[in-house]
Amino acid sequence: ISYYKNGLLNTSQEAKIYLEQIRNISSITVSATPLTGLTSEEISKLRSGEKNDFAKLKQHLQKAKTITRSKEFDKHEAYEFFNDSLSLGTLPLGTYLIDATCDGTNISSKNEFQFLIVSDLKVITLQQSKTQKRYVVVNAISGKPVAGAKLHLTGRKEYENKRVVSTDEKGEYICEFTIENEPRYVFATTDKDQAMQTQFLYTSFPNYQKDNK
């Protein structure tokens, strides 16, 4: 069996786990456990399969808030492959560790882990000129601008030319840069919403021509 989640979610969207290549299994239980005490930047640096990262991760699990859902599959022949899905419902803001057990046996490989991210923030960017970008942080559900959000910007590599700035009353920030320190990676946070992960965001409008003013 293999499983995957439906990516970055907001609090209005159903968290769905897609199950593929199921065979000779009668039931599955999936859990989502929120993390605490780690920034989104720290979480993004954790590497699945790394023993030390997995040990660090386990120290920050809020097990008392684990959400668990189970599903019994329809009867299939032992040799028959089939696909299915399981819903965790809507989830509060946060980063969740996903774990799965089939017929009482954990199916995750040793020290491997998957996250499910729930954030109501969305970043939009438009290159204004060769040395200027416009960033806008909006609420992913309503589309309204988020004033005072923190934009975390880094350069061509995620650890270069870091800067943290705030959006104005329109949820915007105009970034001036040079070729050497052009921001490529970005994520946004607020005091309430800390879950968004670093993403490569060159421009939200791929048809933009750089010589436009």
Side-chain angles (χ1 to χ4, degrees), residues 127 129-130 133 135 154-157 160-161 163 175-185 202 210:
Q127 186 128 355
S129 70
K130 291 182 179 180
K133 288 184 182 181
Y135 291 91
T154 52
R156 294 176 182 272
K157 296 182 179 179
E160 291 182 342
N161 302 311
R163 68 183 93 172
C175 178
E176 303 283 350
F177 60 87
T178 64
I179 294 176
E180 289 74 22
N181 66 3
E182 179 182 6
R184 293 294 184 93
Y185 293 88
Y202 186 72
K210 282 192 172 183

PDB file of all heavy atoms in Angstrom, residues 127 129-130 133 135 154-157 160-161 163 175-185 202 210:
ATOM      1  N   GLN A 127       6.593  40.364 -10.422  1.00  0.00           N
ATOM      2  CA  GLN A 127       7.820  41.101 -10.687  1.00  0.00           C
ATOM      3  C   GLN A 127       7.451  42.430 -11.356  1.00  0.00           C
ATOM      4  O   GLN A 127       6.866  42.469 -12.427  1.00  0.00           O
ATOM      5  CB  GLN A 127       8.765  40.285 -11.582  1.00  0.00           C
ATOM      6  CG  GLN A 127      10.112  40.938 -11.775  1.00  0.00           C
ATOM      7  CD  GLN A 127      11.259  39.997 -11.448  1.00  0.00           C
ATOM      8  OE1 GLN A 127      11.034  38.887 -10.980  1.00  0.00           O
ATOM      9  NE2 GLN A 127      12.470  40.429 -11.676  1.00  0.00           N
ATOM     10  N   SER A 129       9.772  45.017 -11.979  1.00  0.00           N
ATOM     11  CA  SER A 129      10.867  45.391 -12.872  1.00  0.00           C
ATOM     12  C   SER A 129      12.021  44.440 -12.598  1.00  0.00           C
ATOM     13  O   SER A 129      11.884  43.497 -11.820  1.00  0.00           O
ATOM     14  CB  SER A 129      11.298  46.842 -12.623  1.00  0.00           C
ATOM     15  OG  SER A 129      11.943  46.958 -11.363  1.00  0.00           O
ATOM     16  N   LYS A 130      13.178  44.701 -13.203  1.00  0.00           N
ATOM     17  CA  LYS A 130      14.336  43.822 -13.004  1.00  0.00           C
ATOM     18  C   LYS A 130      14.862  43.873 -11.581  1.00  0.00           C
ATOM     19  O   LYS A 130      15.589  42.971 -11.162  1.00  0.00           O
ATOM     20  CB  LYS A 130      15.449  44.195 -13.979  1.00  0.00           C
ATOM     21  CG  LYS A 130      15.115  43.873 -15.436  1.00  0.00           C
ATOM     22  CD  LYS A 130      16.278  44.212 -16.346  1.00  0.00           C
ATOM     23  CE  LYS A 130      15.960  43.858 -17.794  1.00  0.00           C
ATOM     24  NZ  LYS A 130      17.079  44.188 -18.710  1.00  0.00           N
ATOM     25  N   LYS A 133      10.047  43.566  -6.820  1.00  0.00           N
ATOM     26  CA  LYS A 133       8.941  42.613  -6.779  1.00  0.00           C
ATOM     27  C   LYS A 133       7.874  43.109  -5.812  1.00  0.00           C
ATOM     28  O   LYS A 133       8.175  43.736  -4.790  1.00  0.00           O
ATOM     29  CB  LYS A 133       9.416  41.223  -6.315  1.00  0.00           C
ATOM     30  CG  LYS A 133      10.249  40.466  -7.318  1.00  0.00           C
ATOM     31  CD  LYS A 133      10.589  39.072  -6.799  1.00  0.00           C
ATOM     32  CE  LYS A 133      11.463  38.318  -7.787  1.00  0.00           C
ATOM     33  NZ  LYS A 133      11.781  36.960  -7.321  1.00  0.00           N
ATOM     34  N   TYR A 135       4.928  41.779  -3.357  1.00  0.00           N
ATOM     35  CA  TYR A 135       4.372  40.629  -2.652  1.00  0.00           C
ATOM     36  C   TYR A 135       3.055  41.029  -2.001  1.00  0.00           C
ATOM     37  O   TYR A 135       2.927  42.124  -1.453  1.00  0.00           O
ATOM     38  CB  TYR A 135       5.328  40.138  -1.563  1.00  0.00           C
ATOM     39  CG  TYR A 135       6.596  39.508  -2.093  1.00  0.00           C
ATOM     40  CD1 TYR A 135       7.729  40.272  -2.301  1.00  0.00           C
ATOM     41  CD2 TYR A 135       6.652  38.154  -2.380  1.00  0.00           C
ATOM     42  CE1 TYR A 135       8.902  39.703  -2.784  1.00  0.00           C
ATOM     43  CE2 TYR A 135       7.817  37.569  -2.861  1.00  0.00           C
ATOM     44  CZ  TYR A 135       8.930  38.353  -3.061  1.00  0.00           C
ATOM     45  OH  TYR A 135      10.088  37.787  -3.546  1.00  0.00           O
ATOM     46  N   THR A 154      14.163  34.663   1.236  1.00  0.00           N
ATOM     47  CA  THR A 154      15.558  34.253   1.091  1.00  0.00           C
ATOM     48  C   THR A 154      15.914  34.223  -0.389  1.00  0.00           C
ATOM     49  O   THR A 154      15.044  34.313  -1.253  1.00  0.00           O
ATOM     50  CB  THR A 154      15.821  32.870   1.709  1.00  0.00           C
ATOM     51  OG1 THR A 154      14.867  31.928   1.197  1.00  0.00           O
ATOM     52  CG2 THR A 154      15.698  32.912   3.217  1.00  0.00           C
ATOM     53  N   GLY A 155      17.224  34.071  -0.666  1.00  0.00           N
ATOM     54  CA  GLY A 155      17.731  34.190  -2.030  1.00  0.00           C
ATOM     55  C   GLY A 155      17.627  32.921  -2.839  1.00  0.00           C
ATOM     56  O   GLY A 155      16.738  32.097  -2.641  1.00  0.00           O
ATOM     57  N   ARG A 156      18.561  32.766  -3.787  1.00  0.00           N
ATOM     58  CA  ARG A 156      18.516  31.627  -4.706  1.00  0.00           C
ATOM     59  C   ARG A 156      18.646  30.299  -3.977  1.00  0.00           C
ATOM     60  O   ARG A 156      18.194  29.266  -4.454  1.00  0.00           O
ATOM     61  CB  ARG A 156      19.613  31.770  -5.757  1.00  0.00           C
ATOM     62  CG  ARG A 156      19.384  32.962  -6.688  1.00  0.00           C
ATOM     63  CD  ARG A 156      20.536  33.145  -7.654  1.00  0.00           C
ATOM     64  NE  ARG A 156      20.333  34.307  -8.492  1.00  0.00           N
ATOM     65  CZ  ARG A 156      19.676  34.301  -9.634  1.00  0.00           C
ATOM     66  NH1 ARG A 156      19.171  33.166 -10.093  1.00  0.00           N
ATOM     67  NH2 ARG A 156      19.525  35.398 -10.345  1.00  0.00           N
ATOM     68  N   LYS A 157      19.309  30.315  -2.825  1.00  0.00           N
ATOM     69  CA  LYS A 157      19.331  29.161  -1.947  1.00  0.00           C
ATOM     70  C   LYS A 157      18.597  29.566  -0.677  1.00  0.00           C
ATOM     71  O   LYS A 157      18.643  30.718  -0.257  1.00  0.00           O
ATOM     72  CB  LYS A 157      20.769  28.734  -1.639  1.00  0.00           C
ATOM     73  CG  LYS A 157      21.524  28.255  -2.874  1.00  0.00           C
ATOM     74  CD  LYS A 157      22.918  27.790  -2.511  1.00  0.00           C
ATOM     75  CE  LYS A 157      23.671  27.294  -3.748  1.00  0.00           C
ATOM     76  NZ  LYS A 157      25.052  26.844  -3.432  1.00  0.00           N
ATOM     77  N   GLU A 160      20.277  31.834   2.002  1.00  0.00           N
ATOM     78  CA  GLU A 160      21.022  33.033   1.625  1.00  0.00           C
ATOM     79  C   GLU A 160      20.157  34.285   1.686  1.00  0.00           C
ATOM     80  O   GLU A 160      18.965  34.248   1.381  1.00  0.00           O
ATOM     81  CB  GLU A 160      21.573  32.885   0.201  1.00  0.00           C
ATOM     82  CG  GLU A 160      22.671  31.854   0.054  1.00  0.00           C
ATOM     83  CD  GLU A 160      23.191  31.791  -1.379  1.00  0.00           C
ATOM     84  OE1 GLU A 160      22.502  32.263  -2.300  1.00  0.00           O
ATOM     85  OE2 GLU A 160      24.299  31.263  -1.556  1.00  0.00           O
ATOM     86  N   ASN A 161      20.779  35.404   2.079  1.00  0.00           N
ATOM     87  CA  ASN A 161      20.142  36.718   2.040  1.00  0.00           C
ATOM     88  C   ASN A 161      18.770  36.727   2.716  1.00  0.00           C
ATOM     89  O   ASN A 161      17.779  37.202   2.163  1.00  0.00           O
ATOM     90  CB  ASN A 161      20.001  37.205   0.588  1.00  0.00           C
ATOM     91  CG  ASN A 161      21.337  37.292  -0.126  1.00  0.00           C
ATOM     92  OD1 ASN A 161      22.289  37.868   0.394  1.00  0.00           O
ATOM     93  ND2 ASN A 161      21.417  36.705  -1.320  1.00  0.00           N
ATOM     94  N   ARG A 163      15.718  37.786   4.975  1.00  0.00           N
ATOM     95  CA  ARG A 163      15.137  39.012   5.504  1.00  0.00           C
ATOM     96  C   ARG A 163      13.699  38.731   5.921  1.00  0.00           C
ATOM     97  O   ARG A 163      13.014  37.906   5.319  1.00  0.00           O
ATOM     98  CB  ARG A 163      15.202  40.142   4.480  1.00  0.00           C
ATOM     99  CG  ARG A 163      14.328  39.968   3.263  1.00  0.00           C
ATOM    100  CD  ARG A 163      14.515  41.088   2.262  1.00  0.00           C
ATOM    101  NE  ARG A 163      15.513  40.728   1.261  1.00  0.00           N
ATOM    102  CZ  ARG A 163      15.773  41.450   0.189  1.00  0.00           C
ATOM    103  NH1 ARG A 163      15.129  42.571  -0.019  1.00  0.00           N
ATOM    104  NH2 ARG A 163      16.683  41.057  -0.682  1.00  0.00           N
ATOM    105  N   CYS A 175       9.497  44.904  -2.691  1.00  0.00           N
ATOM    106  CA  CYS A 175      10.868  44.484  -2.402  1.00  0.00           C
ATOM    107  C   CYS A 175      11.821  44.999  -3.473  1.00  0.00           C
ATOM    108  O   CYS A 175      11.656  44.695  -4.657  1.00  0.00           O
ATOM    109  CB  CYS A 175      10.940  42.964  -2.334  1.00  0.00           C
ATOM    110  SG  CYS A 175      12.595  42.313  -2.030  1.00  0.00           S
ATOM    111  N   GLU A 176      12.796  45.777  -3.051  1.00  0.00           N
ATOM    112  CA  GLU A 176      13.864  46.226  -3.936  1.00  0.00           C
ATOM    113  C   GLU A 176      15.040  45.274  -3.769  1.00  0.00           C
ATOM    114  O   GLU A 176      15.382  44.876  -2.657  1.00  0.00           O
ATOM    115  CB  GLU A 176      14.296  47.647  -3.562  1.00  0.00           C
ATOM    116  CG  GLU A 176      13.169  48.679  -3.584  1.00  0.00           C
ATOM    117  CD  GLU A 176      12.800  49.110  -4.988  1.00  0.00           C
ATOM    118  OE1 GLU A 176      13.541  48.759  -5.929  1.00  0.00           O
ATOM    119  OE2 GLU A 176      11.775  49.806  -5.139  1.00  0.00           O
ATOM    120  N   PHE A 177      15.675  44.899  -4.874  1.00  0.00           N
ATOM    121  CA  PHE A 177      16.775  43.947  -4.781  1.00  0.00           C
ATOM    122  C   PHE A 177      17.765  44.154  -5.916  1.00  0.00           C
ATOM    123  O   PHE A 177      17.510  44.898  -6.868  1.00  0.00           O
ATOM    124  CB  PHE A 177      16.225  42.508  -4.828  1.00  0.00           C
ATOM    125  CG  PHE A 177      15.459  42.180  -6.081  1.00  0.00           C
ATOM    126  CD1 PHE A 177      16.116  41.723  -7.220  1.00  0.00           C
ATOM    127  CD2 PHE A 177      14.083  42.356  -6.133  1.00  0.00           C
ATOM    128  CE1 PHE A 177      15.411  41.436  -8.379  1.00  0.00           C
ATOM    129  CE2 PHE A 177      13.374  42.068  -7.285  1.00  0.00           C
ATOM    130  CZ  PHE A 177      14.039  41.618  -8.412  1.00  0.00           C
ATOM    131  N   THR A 178      18.906  43.495  -5.777  1.00  0.00           N
ATOM    132  CA  THR A 178      19.909  43.456  -6.838  1.00  0.00           C
ATOM    133  C   THR A 178      19.980  42.036  -7.373  1.00  0.00           C
ATOM    134  O   THR A 178      19.361  41.111  -6.822  1.00  0.00           O
ATOM    135  CB  THR A 178      21.290  43.869  -6.311  1.00  0.00           C
ATOM    136  OG1 THR A 178      21.723  42.896  -5.338  1.00  0.00           O
ATOM    137  CG2 THR A 178      21.241  45.249  -5.657  1.00  0.00           C
ATOM    138  N   ILE A 179      20.748  41.820  -8.415  1.00  0.00           N
ATOM    139  CA  ILE A 179      20.899  40.472  -8.971  1.00  0.00           C
ATOM    140  C   ILE A 179      21.453  39.528  -7.914  1.00  0.00           C
ATOM    141  O   ILE A 179      21.088  38.356  -7.836  1.00  0.00           O
ATOM    142  CB  ILE A 179      21.827  40.505 -10.207  1.00  0.00           C
ATOM    143  CG1 ILE A 179      21.154  41.296 -11.339  1.00  0.00           C
ATOM    144  CG2 ILE A 179      22.161  39.089 -10.674  1.00  0.00           C
ATOM    145  CD1 ILE A 179      22.022  41.465 -12.563  1.00  0.00           C
ATOM    146  N   GLU A 180      22.345  40.058  -7.049  1.00  0.00           N
ATOM    147  CA  GLU A 180      23.015  39.215  -6.055  1.00  0.00           C
ATOM    148  C   GLU A 180      22.078  38.773  -4.928  1.00  0.00           C
ATOM    149  O   GLU A 180      22.264  37.699  -4.355  1.00  0.00           O
ATOM    150  CB  GLU A 180      24.217  39.949  -5.458  1.00  0.00           C
ATOM    151  CG  GLU A 180      25.397  40.117  -6.400  1.00  0.00           C
ATOM    152  CD  GLU A 180      25.148  41.191  -7.467  1.00  0.00           C
ATOM    153  OE1 GLU A 180      24.271  42.060  -7.227  1.00  0.00           O
ATOM    154  OE2 GLU A 180      25.799  41.141  -8.523  1.00  0.00           O
ATOM    155  N   ASN A 181      21.093  39.590  -4.591  1.00  0.00           N
ATOM    156  CA  ASN A 181      20.253  39.239  -3.432  1.00  0.00           C
ATOM    157  C   ASN A 181      18.771  39.108  -3.784  1.00  0.00           C
ATOM    158  O   ASN A 181      17.902  39.324  -2.954  1.00  0.00           O
ATOM    159  CB  ASN A 181      20.432  40.243  -2.299  1.00  0.00           C
ATOM    160  CG  ASN A 181      19.915  41.634  -2.649  1.00  0.00           C
ATOM    161  OD1 ASN A 181      19.370  41.860  -3.734  1.00  0.00           O
ATOM    162  ND2 ASN A 181      20.078  42.576  -1.736  1.00  0.00           N
ATOM    163  N   GLU A 182      18.471  38.765  -5.042  1.00  0.00           N
ATOM    164  CA  GLU A 182      17.081  38.610  -5.455  1.00  0.00           C
ATOM    165  C   GLU A 182      16.402  37.496  -4.658  1.00  0.00           C
ATOM    166  O   GLU A 182      16.891  36.374  -4.592  1.00  0.00           O
ATOM    167  CB  GLU A 182      17.005  38.275  -6.942  1.00  0.00           C
ATOM    168  CG  GLU A 182      15.587  38.081  -7.435  1.00  0.00           C
ATOM    169  CD  GLU A 182      15.521  37.707  -8.905  1.00  0.00           C
ATOM    170  OE1 GLU A 182      16.591  37.495  -9.512  1.00  0.00           O
ATOM    171  OE2 GLU A 182      14.407  37.618  -9.434  1.00  0.00           O
ATOM    172  N   PRO A 183      15.250  37.781  -4.028  1.00  0.00           N
ATOM    173  CA  PRO A 183      14.541  36.730  -3.276  1.00  0.00           C
ATOM    174  C   PRO A 183      13.864  35.735  -4.200  1.00  0.00           C
ATOM    175  O   PRO A 183      13.260  36.109  -5.204  1.00  0.00           O
ATOM    176  CB  PRO A 183      13.504  37.527  -2.469  1.00  0.00           C
ATOM    177  CG  PRO A 183      13.287  38.776  -3.238  1.00  0.00           C
ATOM    178  CD  PRO A 183      14.591  39.095  -3.910  1.00  0.00           C
ATOM    179  N   ARG A 184      13.984  34.458  -3.864  1.00  0.00           N
ATOM    180  CA  ARG A 184      13.348  33.397  -4.637  1.00  0.00           C
ATOM    181  C   ARG A 184      12.423  32.540  -3.765  1.00  0.00           C
ATOM    182  O   ARG A 184      11.444  31.999  -4.265  1.00  0.00           O
ATOM    183  CB  ARG A 184      14.409  32.500  -5.272  1.00  0.00           C
ATOM    184  CG  ARG A 184      15.239  33.186  -6.350  1.00  0.00           C
ATOM    185  CD  ARG A 184      14.418  33.550  -7.566  1.00  0.00           C
ATOM    186  NE  ARG A 184      15.217  34.130  -8.631  1.00  0.00           N
ATOM    187  CZ  ARG A 184      15.762  33.434  -9.625  1.00  0.00           C
ATOM    188  NH1 ARG A 184      15.601  32.123  -9.654  1.00  0.00           N
ATOM    189  NH2 ARG A 184      16.471  34.026 -10.561  1.00  0.00           N
ATOM    190  N   TYR A 185      12.756  32.402  -2.491  1.00  0.00           N
ATOM    191  CA  TYR A 185      11.964  31.570  -1.593  1.00  0.00           C
ATOM    192  C   TYR A 185      11.226  32.455  -0.592  1.00  0.00           C
ATOM    193  O   TYR A 185      11.756  33.470  -0.132  1.00  0.00           O
ATOM    194  CB  TYR A 185      12.852  30.579  -0.843  1.00  0.00           C
ATOM    195  CG  TYR A 185      13.465  29.532  -1.735  1.00  0.00           C
ATOM    196  CD1 TYR A 185      14.683  29.767  -2.368  1.00  0.00           C
ATOM    197  CD2 TYR A 185      12.829  28.318  -1.963  1.00  0.00           C
ATOM    198  CE1 TYR A 185      15.250  28.808  -3.209  1.00  0.00           C
ATOM    199  CE2 TYR A 185      13.395  27.357  -2.794  1.00  0.00           C
ATOM    200  CZ  TYR A 185      14.594  27.610  -3.410  1.00  0.00           C
ATOM    201  OH  TYR A 185      15.144  26.663  -4.233  1.00  0.00           O
ATOM    202  N   TYR A 202       8.893  32.574  -7.801  1.00  0.00           N
ATOM    203  CA  TYR A 202       9.549  33.586  -8.626  1.00  0.00           C
ATOM    204  C   TYR A 202       8.552  34.652  -9.056  1.00  0.00           C
ATOM    205  O   TYR A 202       8.763  35.835  -8.908  1.00  0.00           O
ATOM    206  CB  TYR A 202      10.199  32.943  -9.847  1.00  0.00           C
ATOM    207  CG  TYR A 202      11.011  33.908 -10.677  1.00  0.00           C
ATOM    208  CD1 TYR A 202      12.234  34.378 -10.206  1.00  0.00           C
ATOM    209  CD2 TYR A 202      10.552  34.356 -11.903  1.00  0.00           C
ATOM    210  CE1 TYR A 202      12.981  35.272 -10.948  1.00  0.00           C
ATOM    211  CE2 TYR A 202      11.296  35.251 -12.656  1.00  0.00           C
ATOM    212  CZ  TYR A 202      12.507  35.704 -12.176  1.00  0.00           C
ATOM    213  OH  TYR A 202      13.233  36.600 -12.910  1.00  0.00           O
ATOM    214  N   LYS A 210       9.598  40.507 -18.600  1.00  0.00           N
ATOM    215  CA  LYS A 210      10.469  41.261 -17.715  1.00  0.00           C
ATOM    216  C   LYS A 210      10.687  42.704 -18.161  1.00  0.00           C
ATOM    217  O   LYS A 210      11.018  43.555 -17.359  1.00  0.00           O
ATOM    218  CB  LYS A 210      11.835  40.566 -17.592  1.00  0.00           C
ATOM    219  CG  LYS A 210      11.817  39.367 -16.656  1.00  0.00           C
ATOM    220  CD  LYS A 210      13.231  38.925 -16.346  1.00  0.00           C
ATOM    221  CE  LYS A 210      13.226  37.858 -15.274  1.00  0.00           C
ATOM    222  NZ  LYS A 210      14.582  37.446 -14.902  1.00  0.00           N
TER     223      LYS A 210
END
